[in-house]
mmCIF file of all heavy atoms in Angstrom:
data_model
loop_
_atom_site.group_PDB
_atom_site.id
_atom_site.type_symbol
_atom_site.label_atom_id
_atom_site.label_comp_id
_atom_site.label_asym_id
_atom_site.label_seq_id
_atom_site.Cartn_x
_atom_site.Cartn_y
_atom_site.Cartn_z
ATOM 1 N N LYS J 25 244.997 4.706 -30.792
ATOM 2 C CA LYS J 25 243.796 4.475 -29.976
ATOM 3 C C LYS J 25 243.749 3.023 -29.493
ATOM 4 O O LYS J 25 243.427 2.752 -28.337
ATOM 5 C CB LYS J 25 242.534 4.792 -30.780
ATOM 6 C CG LYS J 25 242.279 6.270 -30.986
ATOM 7 C CD LYS J 25 241.005 6.463 -31.795
ATOM 8 C CE LYS J 25 240.739 7.923 -32.062
ATOM 9 N NZ LYS J 25 239.532 8.124 -32.897
ATOM 10 N N ALA J 26 244.055 2.088 -30.402
ATOM 11 C CA ALA J 26 244.043 0.674 -30.038
ATOM 12 C C ALA J 26 245.093 0.375 -28.978
ATOM 13 O O ALA J 26 244.856 -0.396 -28.040
ATOM 14 C CB ALA J 26 244.280 -0.189 -31.276
ATOM 15 N N LYS J 27 246.242 0.995 -29.123
ATOM 16 C CA LYS J 27 247.328 0.811 -28.159
ATOM 17 C C LYS J 27 246.915 1.298 -26.772
ATOM 18 O O LYS J 27 247.336 0.743 -25.765
ATOM 19 C CB LYS J 27 248.546 1.587 -28.657
ATOM 20 C CG LYS J 27 249.842 1.189 -28.056
ATOM 21 C CD LYS J 27 250.970 1.912 -28.781
ATOM 22 C CE LYS J 27 252.294 1.358 -28.357
ATOM 23 N NZ LYS J 27 253.397 1.948 -29.065
ATOM 24 N N ASN J 28 246.053 2.294 -26.732
ATOM 25 C CA ASN J 28 245.565 2.832 -25.463
ATOM 26 C C ASN J 28 244.333 2.089 -24.943
ATOM 27 O O ASN J 28 243.731 2.502 -23.956
ATOM 28 C CB ASN J 28 245.264 4.328 -25.607
ATOM 29 C CG ASN J 28 246.531 5.139 -25.770
ATOM 30 O OD1 ASN J 28 247.564 4.801 -25.204
ATOM 31 N ND2 ASN J 28 246.458 6.199 -26.555
ATOM 32 N N GLY J 29 243.911 1.033 -25.637
ATOM 33 C CA GLY J 29 242.826 0.197 -25.149
ATOM 34 C C GLY J 29 241.463 0.501 -25.715
ATOM 35 O O GLY J 29 240.470 -0.045 -25.233
ATOM 36 N N ASN J 30 241.355 1.317 -26.734
ATOM 37 C CA ASN J 30 240.075 1.631 -27.352
ATOM 38 C C ASN J 30 239.574 0.396 -28.099
ATOM 39 O O ASN J 30 240.157 -0.014 -29.097
ATOM 40 C CB ASN J 30 240.234 2.820 -28.309
ATOM 41 C CG ASN J 30 238.930 3.259 -28.924
ATOM 42 O OD1 ASN J 30 238.148 2.429 -29.394
ATOM 43 N ND2 ASN J 30 238.705 4.559 -28.944
ATOM 44 N N GLU J 31 238.491 -0.187 -27.605
ATOM 45 C CA GLU J 31 237.993 -1.447 -28.176
ATOM 46 C C GLU J 31 237.514 -1.302 -29.604
ATOM 47 O O GLU J 31 237.676 -2.206 -30.420
ATOM 48 C CB GLU J 31 236.881 -2.014 -27.293
ATOM 49 C CG GLU J 31 237.390 -2.542 -25.982
ATOM 50 C CD GLU J 31 236.321 -3.236 -25.178
ATOM 51 O OE1 GLU J 31 235.388 -3.816 -25.786
ATOM 52 O OE2 GLU J 31 236.424 -3.213 -23.945
ATOM 53 N N GLN J 32 236.914 -0.180 -29.932
ATOM 54 C CA GLN J 32 236.437 0.043 -31.300
ATOM 55 C C GLN J 32 237.620 0.072 -32.267
ATOM 56 O O GLN J 32 237.553 -0.505 -33.350
ATOM 57 C CB GLN J 32 235.641 1.348 -31.375
ATOM 58 C CG GLN J 32 234.982 1.573 -32.723
ATOM 59 C CD GLN J 32 234.135 2.855 -32.725
ATOM 60 O OE1 GLN J 32 234.061 3.565 -31.731
ATOM 61 N NE2 GLN J 32 233.516 3.120 -33.849
ATOM 62 N N ALA J 33 238.709 0.703 -31.866
ATOM 63 C CA ALA J 33 239.902 0.755 -32.712
ATOM 64 C C ALA J 33 240.516 -0.637 -32.857
ATOM 65 O O ALA J 33 240.939 -1.029 -33.950
ATOM 66 C CB ALA J 33 240.914 1.738 -32.130
ATOM 67 N N ILE J 34 240.528 -1.395 -31.763
ATOM 68 C CA ILE J 34 241.061 -2.762 -31.809
ATOM 69 C C ILE J 34 240.224 -3.616 -32.761
ATOM 70 O O ILE J 34 240.758 -4.349 -33.591
ATOM 71 C CB ILE J 34 241.115 -3.382 -30.397
ATOM 72 C CG1 ILE J 34 242.153 -2.665 -29.544
ATOM 73 C CG2 ILE J 34 241.419 -4.874 -30.470
ATOM 74 C CD1 ILE J 34 242.150 -3.061 -28.074
ATOM 75 N N ASP J 35 238.893 -3.514 -32.629
ATOM 76 C CA ASP J 35 237.993 -4.274 -33.508
ATOM 77 C C ASP J 35 238.213 -3.913 -34.972
ATOM 78 O O ASP J 35 238.181 -4.788 -35.846
ATOM 79 C CB ASP J 35 236.532 -4.025 -33.126
ATOM 80 C CG ASP J 35 236.151 -4.669 -31.814
ATOM 81 O OD1 ASP J 35 236.893 -5.570 -31.353
ATOM 82 O OD2 ASP J 35 235.109 -4.280 -31.237
ATOM 83 N N GLU J 36 238.434 -2.636 -35.246
ATOM 84 C CA GLU J 36 238.654 -2.196 -36.623
ATOM 85 C C GLU J 36 239.950 -2.786 -37.184
ATOM 86 O O GLU J 36 239.982 -3.276 -38.319
ATOM 87 C CB GLU J 36 238.718 -0.658 -36.668
ATOM 88 C CG GLU J 36 238.724 -0.092 -38.058
ATOM 89 C CD GLU J 36 238.659 1.427 -38.060
ATOM 90 O OE1 GLU J 36 238.031 2.007 -37.154
ATOM 91 O OE2 GLU J 36 239.242 2.023 -38.989
ATOM 92 N N ILE J 37 240.993 -2.786 -36.375
ATOM 93 C CA ILE J 37 242.280 -3.361 -36.818
ATOM 94 C C ILE J 37 242.151 -4.866 -37.001
ATOM 95 O O ILE J 37 242.643 -5.428 -37.985
ATOM 96 C CB ILE J 37 243.400 -3.006 -35.819
ATOM 97 C CG1 ILE J 37 243.683 -1.500 -35.871
ATOM 98 C CG2 ILE J 37 244.663 -3.800 -36.123
ATOM 99 C CD1 ILE J 37 244.645 -1.005 -34.804
ATOM 100 N N VAL J 38 241.469 -5.540 -36.078
ATOM 101 C CA VAL J 38 241.284 -6.995 -36.176
ATOM 102 C C VAL J 38 240.526 -7.341 -37.448
ATOM 103 O O VAL J 38 240.913 -8.254 -38.189
ATOM 104 C CB VAL J 38 240.564 -7.556 -34.919
ATOM 105 C CG1 VAL J 38 240.084 -8.972 -35.154
ATOM 106 C CG2 VAL J 38 241.482 -7.504 -33.713
ATOM 107 N N SER J 39 239.452 -6.626 -37.732
ATOM 108 C CA SER J 39 238.678 -6.925 -38.950
ATOM 109 C C SER J 39 239.492 -6.637 -40.207
ATOM 110 O O SER J 39 239.354 -7.329 -41.213
ATOM 111 C CB SER J 39 237.367 -6.150 -38.958
ATOM 112 O OG SER J 39 237.603 -4.769 -39.077
ATOM 113 N N GLN J 40 240.371 -5.645 -40.136
ATOM 114 C CA GLN J 40 241.199 -5.297 -41.296
ATOM 115 C C GLN J 40 242.262 -6.373 -41.562
ATOM 116 O O GLN J 40 242.582 -6.647 -42.713
ATOM 117 C CB GLN J 40 241.871 -3.949 -41.056
ATOM 118 C CG GLN J 40 242.669 -3.441 -42.226
ATOM 119 C CD GLN J 40 243.217 -2.040 -41.969
ATOM 120 O OE1 GLN J 40 242.902 -1.404 -40.978
ATOM 121 N NE2 GLN J 40 244.044 -1.575 -42.874
ATOM 122 N N TYR J 41 242.801 -7.012 -40.521
ATOM 123 C CA TYR J 41 243.901 -7.963 -40.682
ATOM 124 C C TYR J 41 243.475 -9.428 -40.537
ATOM 125 O O TYR J 41 244.317 -10.320 -40.566
ATOM 126 C CB TYR J 41 245.029 -7.637 -39.699
ATOM 127 C CG TYR J 41 245.780 -6.394 -40.109
ATOM 128 C CD1 TYR J 41 245.497 -5.168 -39.536
ATOM 129 C CD2 TYR J 41 246.751 -6.458 -41.098
ATOM 130 C CE1 TYR J 41 246.163 -4.026 -39.929
ATOM 131 C CE2 TYR J 41 247.431 -5.321 -41.501
ATOM 132 C CZ TYR J 41 247.123 -4.104 -40.910
ATOM 133 O OH TYR J 41 247.797 -2.973 -41.312
ATOM 134 N N LYS J 42 242.192 -9.672 -40.382
ATOM 135 C CA LYS J 42 241.697 -11.047 -40.229
ATOM 136 C C LYS J 42 242.052 -11.911 -41.435
ATOM 137 O O LYS J 42 242.453 -13.063 -41.298
ATOM 138 C CB LYS J 42 240.186 -11.029 -40.024
ATOM 139 C CG LYS J 42 239.644 -12.283 -39.395
ATOM 140 C CD LYS J 42 238.142 -12.227 -39.228
ATOM 141 C CE LYS J 42 237.772 -11.206 -38.181
ATOM 142 N NZ LYS J 42 236.336 -11.161 -37.898
ATOM 143 N N GLY J 43 241.916 -11.361 -42.624
ATOM 144 C CA GLY J 43 242.245 -12.098 -43.846
ATOM 145 C C GLY J 43 243.715 -12.463 -43.926
ATOM 146 O O GLY J 43 244.083 -13.572 -44.326
ATOM 147 N N LEU J 44 244.568 -11.534 -43.536
ATOM 148 C CA LEU J 44 246.012 -11.783 -43.540
ATOM 149 C C LEU J 44 246.346 -12.916 -42.569
ATOM 150 O O LEU J 44 247.102 -13.844 -42.906
ATOM 151 C CB LEU J 44 246.766 -10.512 -43.134
ATOM 152 C CG LEU J 44 248.264 -10.699 -42.905
ATOM 153 C CD1 LEU J 44 248.983 -10.734 -44.246
ATOM 154 C CD2 LEU J 44 248.808 -9.610 -42.009
ATOM 155 N N ILE J 45 245.774 -12.866 -41.382
ATOM 156 C CA ILE J 45 246.032 -13.902 -40.378
ATOM 157 C C ILE J 45 245.555 -15.254 -40.889
ATOM 158 O O ILE J 45 246.254 -16.265 -40.768
ATOM 159 C CB ILE J 45 245.351 -13.532 -39.042
ATOM 160 C CG1 ILE J 45 245.997 -12.278 -38.459
ATOM 161 C CG2 ILE J 45 245.401 -14.683 -38.062
ATOM 162 C CD1 ILE J 45 245.257 -11.685 -37.277
ATOM 163 N N ARG J 46 244.382 -15.293 -41.490
ATOM 164 C CA ARG J 46 243.843 -16.544 -42.029
ATOM 165 C C ARG J 46 244.755 -17.093 -43.139
ATOM 166 O O ARG J 46 245.012 -18.291 -43.202
ATOM 167 C CB ARG J 46 242.426 -16.333 -42.554
ATOM 168 C CG ARG J 46 241.785 -17.625 -43.042
ATOM 169 C CD ARG J 46 240.298 -17.492 -43.299
ATOM 170 N NE ARG J 46 239.612 -17.648 -42.011
ATOM 171 C CZ ARG J 46 238.907 -16.697 -41.426
ATOM 172 N NH1 ARG J 46 238.761 -15.533 -41.982
ATOM 173 N NH2 ARG J 46 238.321 -16.917 -40.266
ATOM 174 N N SER J 47 245.252 -16.227 -43.999
ATOM 175 C CA SER J 47 246.112 -16.705 -45.101
ATOM 176 C C SER J 47 247.416 -17.280 -44.563
ATOM 177 O O SER J 47 247.911 -18.288 -45.071
ATOM 178 C CB SER J 47 246.381 -15.582 -46.109
ATOM 179 O OG SER J 47 247.249 -14.613 -45.565
ATOM 180 N N TYR J 48 247.992 -16.665 -43.526
ATOM 181 C CA TYR J 48 249.199 -17.223 -42.916
ATOM 182 C C TYR J 48 248.896 -18.546 -42.206
ATOM 183 O O TYR J 48 249.655 -19.507 -42.308
ATOM 184 C CB TYR J 48 249.823 -16.242 -41.921
ATOM 185 C CG TYR J 48 250.635 -15.126 -42.549
ATOM 186 C CD1 TYR J 48 250.810 -13.925 -41.885
ATOM 187 C CD2 TYR J 48 251.241 -15.269 -43.783
ATOM 188 C CE1 TYR J 48 251.555 -12.894 -42.436
ATOM 189 C CE2 TYR J 48 251.985 -14.249 -44.344
ATOM 190 C CZ TYR J 48 252.141 -13.069 -43.663
ATOM 191 O OH TYR J 48 252.891 -12.058 -44.209
ATOM 192 N N ALA J 49 247.798 -18.596 -41.491
ATOM 193 C CA ALA J 49 247.443 -19.805 -40.736
ATOM 194 C C ALA J 49 247.190 -20.984 -41.671
ATOM 195 O O ALA J 49 247.498 -22.127 -41.327
ATOM 196 C CB ALA J 49 246.223 -19.547 -39.869
ATOM 197 N N ASN J 50 246.646 -20.729 -42.854
ATOM 198 C CA ASN J 50 246.352 -21.810 -43.796
ATOM 199 C C ASN J 50 247.604 -22.417 -44.417
ATOM 200 O O ASN J 50 247.544 -23.484 -45.011
ATOM 201 C CB ASN J 50 245.416 -21.313 -44.897
ATOM 202 C CG ASN J 50 244.008 -21.127 -44.404
ATOM 203 O OD1 ASN J 50 243.583 -21.774 -43.450
ATOM 204 N ND2 ASN J 50 243.266 -20.241 -45.042
ATOM 205 N N LYS J 51 248.729 -21.763 -44.265
ATOM 206 C CA LYS J 51 249.984 -22.267 -44.854
ATOM 207 C C LYS J 51 250.690 -23.260 -43.944
ATOM 208 O O LYS J 51 251.642 -23.900 -44.358
ATOM 209 C CB LYS J 51 250.926 -21.095 -45.142
ATOM 210 C CG LYS J 51 250.425 -20.174 -46.223
ATOM 211 C CD LYS J 51 251.378 -19.019 -46.421
ATOM 212 C CE LYS J 51 250.810 -18.049 -47.451
ATOM 213 N NZ LYS J 51 251.672 -16.880 -47.635
ATOM 214 N N PHE J 52 250.227 -23.399 -42.711
ATOM 215 C CA PHE J 52 250.922 -24.233 -41.742
ATOM 216 C C PHE J 52 249.989 -25.264 -41.132
ATOM 217 O O PHE J 52 248.780 -25.205 -41.298
ATOM 218 C CB PHE J 52 251.542 -23.359 -40.645
ATOM 219 C CG PHE J 52 252.565 -22.396 -41.172
ATOM 220 C CD1 PHE J 52 252.212 -21.082 -41.426
ATOM 221 C CD2 PHE J 52 253.859 -22.794 -41.442
ATOM 222 C CE1 PHE J 52 253.131 -20.185 -41.931
ATOM 223 C CE2 PHE J 52 254.787 -21.914 -41.946
ATOM 224 C CZ PHE J 52 254.423 -20.599 -42.186
ATOM 225 N N PHE J 53 250.603 -26.196 -40.380
ATOM 226 C CA PHE J 53 249.862 -27.309 -39.806
ATOM 227 C C PHE J 53 250.403 -27.600 -38.415
ATOM 228 O O PHE J 53 251.605 -27.612 -38.200
ATOM 229 C CB PHE J 53 250.026 -28.545 -40.700
ATOM 230 C CG PHE J 53 249.399 -29.782 -40.143
ATOM 231 C CD1 PHE J 53 248.025 -29.944 -40.150
ATOM 232 C CD2 PHE J 53 250.184 -30.784 -39.594
ATOM 233 C CE1 PHE J 53 247.439 -31.079 -39.626
ATOM 234 C CE2 PHE J 53 249.611 -31.926 -39.075
ATOM 235 C CZ PHE J 53 248.236 -32.067 -39.094
ATOM 236 N N LEU J 54 249.496 -27.837 -37.469
ATOM 237 C CA LEU J 54 249.866 -28.258 -36.121
ATOM 238 C C LEU J 54 249.397 -29.691 -35.899
ATOM 239 O O LEU J 54 248.221 -29.989 -36.082
ATOM 240 C CB LEU J 54 249.190 -27.385 -35.059
ATOM 241 C CG LEU J 54 249.750 -26.007 -34.797
ATOM 242 C CD1 LEU J 54 248.908 -25.299 -33.752
ATOM 243 C CD2 LEU J 54 251.180 -26.063 -34.354
ATOM 244 N N VAL J 55 250.307 -30.581 -35.508
ATOM 245 C CA VAL J 55 249.928 -31.955 -35.200
ATOM 246 C C VAL J 55 249.083 -31.922 -33.936
ATOM 247 O O VAL J 55 249.455 -31.338 -32.929
ATOM 248 C CB VAL J 55 251.165 -32.845 -34.980
ATOM 249 C CG1 VAL J 55 250.758 -34.241 -34.558
ATOM 250 C CG2 VAL J 55 252.011 -32.888 -36.231
ATOM 251 N N GLY J 56 247.909 -32.530 -34.009
ATOM 252 C CA GLY J 56 247.025 -32.557 -32.858
ATOM 253 C C GLY J 56 246.273 -31.253 -32.646
ATOM 254 O O GLY J 56 245.557 -31.104 -31.684
ATOM 255 N N GLY J 57 246.446 -30.321 -33.530
ATOM 256 C CA GLY J 57 245.751 -29.043 -33.420
ATOM 257 C C GLY J 57 244.891 -28.828 -34.645
ATOM 258 O O GLY J 57 244.753 -29.692 -35.504
ATOM 259 N N ASP J 58 244.308 -27.670 -34.745
ATOM 260 C CA ASP J 58 243.523 -27.358 -35.927
ATOM 261 C C ASP J 58 243.809 -25.927 -36.356
ATOM 262 O O ASP J 58 244.607 -25.227 -35.734
ATOM 263 C CB ASP J 58 242.033 -27.608 -35.697
ATOM 264 C CG ASP J 58 241.460 -26.803 -34.546
ATOM 265 O OD1 ASP J 58 242.154 -25.888 -34.051
ATOM 266 O OD2 ASP J 58 240.326 -27.073 -34.141
ATOM 267 N N LYS J 59 243.151 -25.504 -37.399
ATOM 268 C CA LYS J 59 243.379 -24.163 -37.940
ATOM 269 C C LYS J 59 243.018 -23.085 -36.934
ATOM 270 O O LYS J 59 243.628 -22.022 -36.917
ATOM 271 C CB LYS J 59 242.591 -23.951 -39.243
ATOM 272 C CG LYS J 59 243.139 -24.736 -40.402
ATOM 273 C CD LYS J 59 244.516 -24.247 -40.767
ATOM 274 C CE LYS J 59 245.097 -25.097 -41.874
ATOM 275 N NZ LYS J 59 246.530 -24.941 -41.995
ATOM 276 N N ASP J 60 242.039 -23.350 -36.093
ATOM 277 C CA ASP J 60 241.659 -22.354 -35.088
ATOM 278 C C ASP J 60 242.812 -22.042 -34.143
ATOM 279 O O ASP J 60 242.974 -20.908 -33.702
ATOM 280 C CB ASP J 60 240.451 -22.828 -34.284
ATOM 281 C CG ASP J 60 239.168 -22.790 -35.096
ATOM 282 O OD1 ASP J 60 239.117 -22.054 -36.101
ATOM 283 O OD2 ASP J 60 238.212 -23.486 -34.711
ATOM 284 N N ASP J 61 243.622 -23.067 -33.822
ATOM 285 C CA ASP J 61 244.777 -22.839 -32.961
ATOM 286 C C ASP J 61 245.756 -21.878 -33.620
ATOM 287 O O ASP J 61 246.289 -20.971 -32.975
ATOM 288 C CB ASP J 61 245.480 -24.157 -32.633
ATOM 289 C CG ASP J 61 244.615 -25.086 -31.799
ATOM 290 O OD1 ASP J 61 243.723 -24.590 -31.083
ATOM 291 O OD2 ASP J 61 244.827 -26.309 -31.880
ATOM 292 N N LEU J 62 245.992 -22.083 -34.901
ATOM 293 C CA LEU J 62 246.902 -21.192 -35.613
ATOM 294 C C LEU J 62 246.304 -19.798 -35.790
ATOM 295 O O LEU J 62 247.024 -18.802 -35.746
ATOM 296 C CB LEU J 62 247.277 -21.789 -36.979
ATOM 297 C CG LEU J 62 248.182 -23.018 -36.915
ATOM 298 C CD1 LEU J 62 248.381 -23.615 -38.296
ATOM 299 C CD2 LEU J 62 249.520 -22.663 -36.295
ATOM 300 N N LEU J 63 245.001 -19.727 -35.980
ATOM 301 C CA LEU J 63 244.349 -18.415 -36.056
ATOM 302 C C LEU J 63 244.509 -17.661 -34.741
ATOM 303 O O LEU J 63 244.755 -16.449 -34.726
ATOM 304 C CB LEU J 63 242.866 -18.567 -36.403
ATOM 305 C CG LEU J 63 242.548 -18.972 -37.842
ATOM 306 C CD1 LEU J 63 241.061 -19.289 -37.990
ATOM 307 C CD2 LEU J 63 242.952 -17.884 -38.808
ATOM 308 N N GLN J 64 244.374 -18.358 -33.640
ATOM 309 C CA GLN J 64 244.570 -17.723 -32.339
ATOM 310 C C GLN J 64 245.998 -17.224 -32.176
ATOM 311 O O GLN J 64 246.232 -16.137 -31.637
ATOM 312 C CB GLN J 64 244.217 -18.693 -31.213
ATOM 313 C CG GLN J 64 242.748 -18.910 -31.049
ATOM 314 C CD GLN J 64 242.433 -19.889 -29.934
ATOM 315 O OE1 GLN J 64 243.289 -20.616 -29.449
ATOM 316 N NE2 GLN J 64 241.174 -19.903 -29.516
ATOM 317 N N GLU J 65 246.951 -18.030 -32.626
ATOM 318 C CA GLU J 65 248.346 -17.599 -32.568
ATOM 319 C C GLU J 65 248.548 -16.341 -33.407
ATOM 320 O O GLU J 65 249.243 -15.412 -33.005
ATOM 321 C CB GLU J 65 249.285 -18.715 -33.040
ATOM 322 C CG GLU J 65 249.358 -19.900 -32.111
ATOM 323 C CD GLU J 65 249.985 -19.582 -30.766
ATOM 324 O OE1 GLU J 65 250.812 -18.652 -30.665
ATOM 325 O OE2 GLU J 65 249.654 -20.284 -29.793
ATOM 326 N N GLY J 66 247.927 -16.314 -34.572
ATOM 327 C CA GLY J 66 248.015 -15.132 -35.426
ATOM 328 C C GLY J 66 247.409 -13.908 -34.757
ATOM 329 O O GLY J 66 247.943 -12.798 -34.858
ATOM 330 N N MET J 67 246.293 -14.103 -34.069
ATOM 331 C CA MET J 67 245.664 -12.987 -33.338
ATOM 332 C C MET J 67 246.578 -12.492 -32.220
ATOM 333 O O MET J 67 246.665 -11.282 -31.971
ATOM 334 C CB MET J 67 244.325 -13.414 -32.765
ATOM 335 C CG MET J 67 243.271 -13.620 -33.811
ATOM 336 S SD MET J 67 242.980 -12.134 -34.748
ATOM 337 C CE MET J 67 241.311 -11.833 -34.339
ATOM 338 N N LEU J 68 247.262 -13.419 -31.564
ATOM 339 C CA LEU J 68 248.227 -12.999 -30.544
ATOM 340 C C LEU J 68 249.330 -12.146 -31.164
ATOM 341 O O LEU J 68 249.760 -11.149 -30.578
ATOM 342 C CB LEU J 68 248.837 -14.223 -29.851
ATOM 343 C CG LEU J 68 247.938 -14.978 -28.899
ATOM 344 C CD1 LEU J 68 248.612 -16.267 -28.434
ATOM 345 C CD2 LEU J 68 247.567 -14.120 -27.714
ATOM 346 N N GLY J 69 249.782 -12.564 -32.350
ATOM 347 C CA GLY J 69 250.786 -11.769 -33.063
ATOM 348 C C GLY J 69 250.270 -10.379 -33.394
ATOM 349 O O GLY J 69 250.998 -9.388 -33.279
ATOM 350 N N LEU J 70 249.008 -10.293 -33.797
ATOM 351 C CA LEU J 70 248.402 -8.995 -34.105
ATOM 352 C C LEU J 70 248.337 -8.118 -32.853
ATOM 353 O O LEU J 70 248.678 -6.932 -32.895
ATOM 354 C CB LEU J 70 247.006 -9.183 -34.696
ATOM 355 C CG LEU J 70 246.219 -7.894 -34.988
ATOM 356 C CD1 LEU J 70 246.947 -7.035 -36.010
ATOM 357 C CD2 LEU J 70 244.817 -8.236 -35.473
#
């Protein structure tokens, strides 16, 4: 459903994997950036 663009399905997957993305983002550092930048990158990966 998410692959077909169903926003509710996308939201459900995002909420399910938000913790995983945050845990990966907290392990790394961007010079001149912040954790939000890495969280966004993680969301792009999702």
Side-chain angles (χ1 to χ4, degrees):
K25 286 180 182 178
K27 198 172 190 177
N28 290 326
N30 183 314
E31 289 186 30
Q32 186 177 1
I34 292 172
D35 289 343
E36 189 175 328
I37 292 173
V38 167
S39 67
Q40 184 175 353
Y41 287 98
K42 200 181 291 184
L44 172 79
I45 294 170
R46 184 168 277 116
S47 71
Y48 281 155
N50 286 334
K51 293 178 184 178
F52 298 98
F53 175 74
L54 283 178
V55 176
D58 59 11
K59 289 295 176 197
D60 288 339
D61 295 335
L62 290 174
L63 287 171
Q64 286 179 345
E65 291 294 333
M67 290 301 243
L68 287 172
L70 176 61

